[in-house]
Amino acid sequence: MHQPIQRTLDLSRVVASRQALQSVPAPLAKRLSILPVMVSAEGELHVVMANEEDDLALSQLEAQVALPVRVDRATNPEKIPSLLRRYYPERNRGEGTPLGVLEEIVNRAILYRSSDIHLDPESQAGVVRMRIDGLMRQERTMTQDALNELTSAIKVSSGLDIAEKRVPQDGQLTMTLHGEEISMRVATVPTLYGEKTTLRILATESVAAELASLDALGMSDRHHEIFQTTLGYSHGVILLSGPTGSGKTTTLYAALRHLKEPGTLHILSIEDPVEIPLDGINQIRVDSERVSFARALRSTLRHDPDVIMIGEIRDAETADIAVKSALTGHLVLSTLHANDSVGVVSRLLNLGVAPELVNSALRLVIAQRLVRKPCPHCMRWKNAEPSERLLFGWPTGEEIPIPVPLGCPLCHETGYAGRLGLYEMIPMDNTLREMIRLGESEEKMARYAFEKLHLPTLRNDGADKIRQGKTTLAEVQRVAFQMEW
């Protein structure tokens, strides 16, 4: 008899547990199109099926596994065949060879939606770590000899000098796994115990598809309106700030997709490197050692673009050309290293851009951070404590439910699955332009923006998303509480 459906799972946000995968032989899982997901605390095997009504397939599974089976519904069952190929990969290379081990590690990283793979030599062994949802997690250990062999295989595949182990090297590696092309930036650096290798996984097709629109970024309605309105300007500069790994590039790509939809604009991007290929946009890859952003930008202007995206403004020359480009009828989008939104203005001025040019060209400054989302399968609600209310200025006379991450096999006991953005946006108005002209302090500009105009700070945005169950108090404290005015 068909088991009752337990819950609904988004397969893009679930990582099947090893215990569940080991409970079902690969040939059986693939033949029945059934993906094992987790083994519950009660000892039940939870699975998702390509066809939930296939009682015969379910009966065959129950007859061949030692655990009671429960069926969960998948919101995207079409992903089951490709996930089965990833979770039960065919061994195309010799098992245990360096390239085979690399494929296994990268495959696992894709399933975890990891952004980076770190191969770290330590005193006793080599350690493989992955950055998942912004935080590091140890994946496995291996002998130093095995790590050295793996490092050599990566260097050969990415065109690095295998004999040179005393200086840092950078390269790029592309591999095809289960029909999907995976591109990675490779960096090596000598350490006390040997070479450390970091692989930055550039966005895969599946991840890029999920972030194809502004709606997928997690902006509030107000921030979405501000951003979309500014993207409609024919000229000006939009600048994003935030630390490495805060999602700035993802926001820029979503903006480019939004701008290219009508098909009436000529859009160019200058990037180092090009992280996601986008049809309909001319993407230019620069090598900072040979061709600077400034030189590429100067050349780009000869091609009459309507919109220019610059991966990062790193120097005074690039900043000056970007601002002047905006004044000659181009919409310019870029990133700039600053601690917060108003800090972007100071950073432009510190780079030597004249205040009158900043006044005329700057349209919008944005600070952004990424926070983890609570796992929907184990999240619980509790009433905020008095101390927690005080942190966000929440009223004391009413119950305020906030989410608590507990941890379950579906999120590998972390309590979190996926991330979304926190935003702080300041559109330029005449008062702010006058403050820039007069050389007013960041604090005064911030007080005007956040107190008089009532624009949401990162903390405000985080507080709203906590109450909506989109993130947790601990996450907002982790990324947004350094920014006070």
Side-chain angles (χ1 to χ4, degrees), residues 114-134:
S114 170
S115 60
D116 304 88
I117 302 169
H118 296 258
L119 309 179
D120 297 335
E122 297 186 352
S123 59
Q124 302 298 321
V127 180
V128 179
R129 296 183 173 92
M130 297 180 183
R131 186 176 294 279
I132 302 169
D133 289 339

Side-chain angles (χ1 to χ4, degrees), residues 429-442:
D429 65 7
N430 289 334
T431 300
L432 284 167
R433 292 189 178 96
E434 181 65 11
M435 287 182 173
I436 294 171
R437 187 186 70 80
L438 296 174
E440 299 284 8
S441 68
E442 290 183 17

Side-chain angles (χ1 to χ4, degrees), residues 36 114 128 204 207 256 304 314 328 407 424 462 474:
S114 170
V128 179
T204 61
V207 172
L256 293 183
D304 189 31
R314 299 176 178 173
T328 55
E424 185 177 276

Side-chain angles (χ1 to χ4, degrees), residues 222-354:
R222 187 171 186 187
H223 283 150
H224 188 280
E225 182 183 359
I226 291 171
F227 196 41
Q228 192 165 7
T229 298
T230 312
L231 289 174
Y233 294 161
S234 62
H235 62 279
V237 177
I238 300 173
L239 290 177
L240 285 78
S241 69
T244 300
S246 60
K248 301 186 298 296
T249 301
T250 300
T251 301
L252 286 177
Y253 275 123
L256 293 183
R257 288 190 182 92
H258 173 79
L259 290 166
K260 82 180 183 72
E261 281 179 4
T264 57
L265 298 176
H266 179 204
I267 304 174
L268 288 169
S269 74
I270 304 169
E271 306 173 59
D272 179 20
V274 174
E275 297 201 12
I276 305 174
L278 296 176
D279 291 333
I281 294 173
N282 295 287
Q283 296 172 277
I284 302 165
R285 180 180 178 182
V286 300
D287 182 343
S288 55
E289 293 183 0
R290 289 180 293 180
V291 180
S292 67
F293 274 102
R295 181 177 176 185
L297 177 56
R298 196 179 293 109
S299 175
T300 295
L301 293 173
R302 303 188 188 106
H303 294 271
D304 189 31
D306 298 298
V307 179
I308 306 169
M309 192 272 271
I310 307 167
E312 181 184 350
I313 293 178
R314 299 176 178 173
D315 53 59
E317 186 180 8
T318 306
D320 184 66
I321 300 172
V323 169
K324 289 177 179 176
S325 300
L327 294 176
T328 55
H330 306 88
L331 183 64
V332 179
L333 293 79
S334 190
T335 68
L336 190 65
H337 278 292
N339 291 327
D340 46 60
S341 52
V342 292
V344 172
V345 177
S346 299
R347 179 71 178 134
L348 270 182
L349 296 173
N350 290 340
L351 284 172
V353 181

Side-chain angles (χ1 to χ4, degrees), residues 341-377:
S341 52
V342 292
V344 172
V345 177
S346 299
R347 179 71 178 134
L348 270 182
L349 296 173
N350 290 340
L351 284 172
V353 181
E356 59 271 18
L357 295 182
V358 175
N359 278 344
S360 302
L362 196 58
R363 294 287 179 268
L364 177 67
V365 291
I366 302 172
Q368 101 171 61
R369 301 289 188 274
L370 289 178
V371 289
R372 293 182 295 169
K373 299 191 291 187
C375 171
H377 310 296

